[in-house]
Amino acid sequence: MSDRLTVVGGTYYENCIDPEADDFYGSGMRGAAALSGKGLTINLISCIAKRDLNLAHSICSTFDIQPEFHFIDKTIIFQYYHPLSLPEIFGLPDNGTSVKLADCTSTNILFYGMIEAQIEVHGKRVVYDPQNHISFVETGSTANHLALVLNKKEAHL
């Protein structure tokens, strides 16, 4: 088994009113940070605005994450009233289209759905957490061994 893990997922601002919290993580950055320090080389593929590059690189440096950032006009913002409320989402493109990223091929992949981008991943071992209700097959991705992380609603879909 390879000691390299590629995390593909969003990097977002997450603001919560109660309890007050302002974070710059999102599922991709948070997953990469959570898995750092486990003896793996962590690569992160994500999308951010150019103006957020210094902050993103600072977080990646702190957690020894090797980033590959693709630039979008605005970094997406999720605003919550409380942690269990539905978020208001800011920064989505006006035309509703998402960025198409180059395919990712790696041995081990943790793949989160992203609302701002589309990407195909191809790996020996892939863990997929759709978050956007798009099935793994619909992404065009492939895996020799696939594990799905689903809540009840996602499993039903």
Side-chain angles (χ1 to χ4, degrees):
M1 184 162 127
S2 172
D3 62 348
R4 178 175 302 278
L5 174 67
T6 300
V7 178
V8 178
T11 299
Y12 308 126
Y13 283 101
E14 300 167 318
N15 303 321
C16 187
I17 294 171
D18 187 21
E20 185 177 338
D22 292 307
D23 295 316
F24 186 70
Y25 278 104
S27 54
M29 182 73 83
R30 181 175 282 107
L35 292 166
S36 70
K38 307 279 190 253
L40 300 169
T41 299
I42 305 288
N43 297 81
L44 171 65
I45 298 173
S46 195
C47 297
I48 59 171
K50 279 186 181 179
R51 69 181 192 94
D52 296 315
L53 188 59
N54 287 340
L55 175 57
H57 273 289
S58 177
I59 294 169
C60 288
S61 177
T62 298
F63 290 102
D64 197 23
I65 297 166
Q66 308 301 312
E68 179 184 318
F69 291 116
H70 300 270
F71 295 119
I72 54 177
D73 291 337
K74 299 177 209 167
T75 300
I76 307 295
I77 300 169
F78 284 79
Q79 176 133 1
Y80 299 88
Y81 181 73
H82 59 78
L84 298 177
S85 64
L86 292 176
E88 284 188 78
I89 303 171
F90 301 95
L92 291 173
D94 293 334
N95 60 8
T97 61
S98 58
V99 176
K100 174 65 174 133
L101 302 179
D103 293 2
C104 166
T105 301
S106 187
T107 302
N108 304 304
I109 302 171
L110 174 56
F111 180 26
Y112 295 99
M114 293 186 281
I115 61 173
E116 75 282 14
Q118 301 168 16
I119 186 171
E120 288 182 21
V121 304
H122 306 283
K124 286 186 180 178
R125 288 172 290 281
V126 178
V127 175
Y128 181 53
D129 184 345
Q131 299 191 4
N132 56 9
H133 309 297
I134 297 173
S135 74
F136 185 75
V137 171
E138 288 177 274
T139 69
S141 299
T142 60
N144 293 28
H145 303 280
L146 175 65
L148 301 174
V149 178
L150 306 170
N151 61 32
K152 185 177 178 179
K153 181 178 179 183
E154 291 165 339
H156 179 71
L157 291 172

